[in-house]
Amino acid sequence: MPKVTVIMPSLNVVKYIASCIESVLAQTLRDIEILVIDAGSDDGTIELLQKYAALDTRIQIIHSDQRSYGYQINLGIARAQGEYIGIVETDDMIEPAMYSTLYHTAVETDADYVKGRAALFMELATGTEWRQPIGSPVNADMTGRVVCPRIMPELLISDIYLWTGIYKSKFVKQINLNETPGAAFQDQGFLFQTISSADRAVYLDGTFYLYRQDNSGSSIYNQKAFHYLVEEYAYIEKFLADKTGEWKSVYYQRMLNQCLGRFRTMAVSGGFWKEAVTDMEILRARLGEAVKNGMISSLTIDDGKWNILQLYLRKSEDVYFYYKEEYRKKIYIISQFLEIGAHCQMIVFGCGRIGKYFHALLEREKPGVIIAFCDNNRKLWDSEIQGRTVLSPEDAVKKYPDAMYVIANLRNTESIKQQMQVLGIKKKHICLFQEMPDILLLHRNTEKKSVGKERWHN
């Protein structure tokens, strides 16, 4: 019996399948079986998979007669022989120690499931990657400890990915995903079932799963997204009947979060999805009933989200226009920096989350506009971040006295401004970037390439 069965649902991912499957084959835990469930790829994916399968007997290619993510996963679970089961999306990658770490923790704790953390990533023109770790679903004091998910409904809000972990085979074989066509949101029913029924689970702090953000074929802009939400939440409701009010409350909070997420992507796509209005209205009515029944209130969600919910309950289009204006402002900020970059070189002061995000954002819009990082942290000097050298402020000024210095952090900005002016940089050559990472803006470059620039200016 293999220690872990890795299920890989596949459909037309020829651009990414090699790096994905190589990351699975590179696992330090060697005793695994790999079930690739392909739903009729016709872009060369199958041919590549067959080459890998000929070289490694752990790989089995299973042909799915339905193009349904839920059906593919269910098929893989039914065929799995491993003690534990993991899932890897075939445009993502995993770190070498992922399954070894998760498996040994699972065995030691007899957990129904064990999960690590993920990092968003995308490839940059520098030949390197931008990565942004995703927060843990549990508080720091719970990390590494056995918890009981079935009495922790709040996990349904924070634990939103099924592929960051492994699940005990005997436990997960009792669970079925919804088998509607397509590949959107069918993991939601799986997550509800696993979280609400597991007695023992462990959440680790290590980052093991790399969640790709630069796949232009992603379903992120699929205009059927609202319909998929309607179908999936109708499916989940049959598991909700015997749950407490707390579970029903988080169920509706999760529905709200995903509705608002779809409005954000719709706004970024550049046009209102008229074809989705009927489904928007179905979801709006259900959220309205949740508010009426006290399942969602200003006490259960933050003020910002509550205010946007009021817009939704008034009129679906109002949420779209709210997010459209929000993104118009953010895109304007980007355009201002790109205008600066058209006339001078740029250096990012700050190597933290905001600095890395700013570099990735501009690198995808205008490769090479940022020539270096600088930072006051001596430990970073002469290292590389995302293909750019990290300099001390003194060395940066000596080497690039005429560059624009972008301070990319939320703290000590005034003291950094003064520091750079003392070093000889003119005030007009110092500016701030204090926007928190926004993944949809990083999708902007990919979206422009796939659907045309005009969609960003409607």
Side-chain angles (χ1 to χ4, degrees), residues 158-174:
S158 57
D159 184 357
I160 59 175
Y161 304 115
L162 84 167
W163 24 252
T164 55
I166 58 173
Y167 306 83
K168 185 183 291 184
S169 186
K170 288 187 289 187
F171 168 71
V172 84
K173 281 183 180 288
Q174 303 172 51

Side-chain angles (χ1 to χ4, degrees), residues 6-10 13 16-17 20-21 23-24 69 73 86-94 99 162-163 183 187 209-212:
V6 185
I7 298 172
M8 302 177 65
S10 168
V13 283
Y16 310 110
I17 189 63
C20 177
I21 202 161
S23 75
V24 176
Y69 179 88
I73 298 297
I87 297 165
V88 176
E89 307 282 356
T90 43
D91 56 352
D92 297 334
M93 294 187 293
I94 58 177
Y99 288 128
L162 84 167
W163 24 252
D187 54 351
Y209 193 96
L210 305 179
Y211 180 22
R212 183 179 293 277

Side-chain angles (χ1 to χ4, degrees), residues 24-37:
V24 176
L25 294 174
Q27 289 298 293
T28 55
L29 181 68
R30 303 300 297 167
D31 188 7
I32 62 176
E33 70 168 348
I34 303 164
L35 305 183
V36 184
I37 318 295

Side-chain angles (χ1 to χ4, degrees), residues 70-128:
Y71 179 83
Q72 289 171 262
I73 298 297
N74 287 340
L75 189 60
I77 290 173
R79 295 279 293 271
Q81 299 296 312
E83 296 174 56
Y84 282 82
I85 294 173
I87 297 165
V88 176
E89 307 282 356
T90 43
D91 56 352
D92 297 334
M93 294 187 293
I94 58 177
E95 296 286 11
M98 176 170 176
Y99 288 128
S100 175
T101 305
L102 298 181
Y103 174 77
H104 290 302
T105 301
V107 171
E108 289 171 5
T109 59
D110 190 30
D112 293 318
Y113 67 79
V114 178
K115 291 188 175 183
R117 294 173 62 182
L120 310 175
F121 87 102
M122 60 173 49
E123 295 168 356
L124 303 176
T126 56
T128 59

